[in-house]
Amino acid sequence: MTIRVLLFAAARDHAGTDAVGVELAPGATVAHMRAALVRQVPGLASLLARSAVAVNHDFAEDGRALGPGDEVAIIPPVSGG
């Protein structure tokens, strides 16, 4: 299955795009998606380890299973004041 992953802020900057398609096996989890995304866009490795993930607008842990049609978003940490 192909999952569309939306990239925000620094993740978008590192990838040079605001979304990527990630091919995953059925039953894949958020952790599998993170690993596949790093293989596809190696420049995201350190940022992805610190980023939150949302699935269908809800924050998700690495063990959450993904299914066809899920919307995944990578939300990097923010700083500022």
Side-chain angles (χ1 to χ4, degrees), residues 21-55:
V22 176
E23 188 64 32
L24 298 171
T29 64
V30 169
H32 294 120
M33 181 278 308
R34 285 182 192 263
L37 185 57
V38 166
R39 284 191 299 275
Q40 224 172 297
V41 186
L44 288 177
S46 66
L47 183 63
L48 196 55
R50 298 175 290 137
S51 295
V53 175
V55 178

Side-chain angles (χ1 to χ4, degrees), residues 1-76:
M1 71 181 159
T2 301
I3 299 291
R4 184 167 184 248
V5 180
L6 306 175
L7 305 171
F8 293 97
R12 179 184 56 231
D13 296 341
H14 285 301
T17 185
D18 61 358
V20 295
V22 176
E23 188 64 32
L24 298 171
T29 64
V30 169
H32 294 120
M33 181 278 308
R34 285 182 192 263
L37 185 57
V38 166
R39 284 191 299 275
Q40 224 172 297
V41 186
L44 288 177
S46 66
L47 183 63
L48 196 55
R50 298 175 290 137
S51 295
V53 175
V55 178
N56 301 326
H57 305 280
D58 291 321
F59 286 108
E61 299 294 325
D62 281 347
R64 168 126 167 16
L66 299 172
D70 281 347
E71 179 183 76
V72 176
I74 304 300
I75 306 163

